[in-house]
Amino acid sequence: MAFSRISKLDPPSRGILRKAAVMLGSLLTSLFLLHCLTDRCGTTAPSPVKAQDLTSQTRTKRLVYEWTGGTGYGAARRSSRVLADERAGQVVEDSLILPPPDLVASRRRVSPRFAGQLSPLGEGSKKLPQALIIGVKKGGTRALLEFLRVHPDIRAVGAEPHFFDRNYDNGLEWYRELMPKTLEGQITMEKTPSYFVTREAPARISAMSRDTKLIVVVRDPVTRAISDYTQTLSKKPDIPSFESLTFKNRTTGLIDTSWSAIQIGIYAKHLDNWLQYFPMDQILFVSGERLISDPAGELGRVQDFLGLKRIITDKHFYFNQTKGFPCLKKAEGSSKPHCLGKTKGRTHPNIDPEVVQRLRDFYRPFNMKFYQMTGRFFGWDD
């Protein structure tokens, strides 16, 4: 009888089994999290353990997840605190709290090999330009750049880098360092008008990126040549007259196309060189005349070309009667009106009307070809 009492043991109570199950589950969860903390469980967050229903008769184990705000889901930690349930005299263990899936996605861990390459939030990074204003000199490139800089999604260098014509040997990293910092979605730009007439520039820009968008501001080539001469005259008052520089021989009327002021205006010739490297739909031609008479209209075309929202509109401009140019009501980073500098809008010298007509006759066939190539009539021969 005594032997039978010894051999028959009471079965374990349900409470003991339940506590053992809870402890085993907690141990397995802790091991899994330790595995994640050593970066061995990939980039997908573990699925949360579903909490079982609590009834009035039985309070079962409750699993929740706690997010610690670390650098990735692996920063989730197990918060193990034992709370006494005074009414039931049972033990309830709080475990993990998992962050919402969208928060997990926004905080995914960055691979260590990119560490140190990301800029602080809001600071941005320097990128090679996605768009270039490549010409032409005295066409209105400075005005276009200043107007575009009002757009919040455009960041541009103020000075002309002259990378693809004069400083190419310095390398692309040197060029990148000249650029302003941009945020995701912003466009980096620069303008150097001499690119359009530099024979090597198209190949060099294409080597940087074939997707680069190109903007050319063009102007009546006769007016442009006179404006070019006027700028040079302001720096070198002793240069020969415009008339004498225009002709190789005034008696025969042969135009000197080696003079840069004349040569730049042969737009069709220069465009031929660019079309060997870039398709026409990657080049936008802006009218220098319309940039003065309808700046918002031309800026609308540019914003469309760059894939940007039309933010720069009529409300940004007012016309300065003294200078004869549109000005910005508010410049980039300023609440004050802004007009182009005193070097813009110089008074042109009086040029012999016969010389002007000779130049118009010279440029006419080149202009016609340019209209055909671009599909746009600029009206310089009216």
Side-chain angles (χ1 to χ4, degrees), residues 196 266-276 279-281 283 285 365-378:
F196 188 63
I266 309 175
Y267 302 139
K269 173 187 172 184
H270 303 302
L271 181 55
D272 269 333
N273 187 33
W274 286 89
L275 292 179
Q276 295 179 40
M280 186 64 81
D281 61 5
I283 309 174
F285 297 90
F366 296 109
N367 291 344
M368 292 302 175
K369 183 180 179 183
F370 185 67
Y371 298 162
Q372 291 175 348
M373 295 172 76
T374 61
R376 186 176 184 188
F377 179 72
F378 291 89

Side-chain angles (χ1 to χ4, degrees), residues 127-149:
K127 301 180 181 69
L128 292 170
Q130 297 94 17
L132 300 171
I133 300 175
I134 61 173
V136 298
K137 181 183 178 184
K138 305 309 296 179
T141 58
R142 172 55 60 183
L144 178 61
L145 184 72
E146 292 301 313
F147 296 162
L148 282 175
R149 291 173 78 176

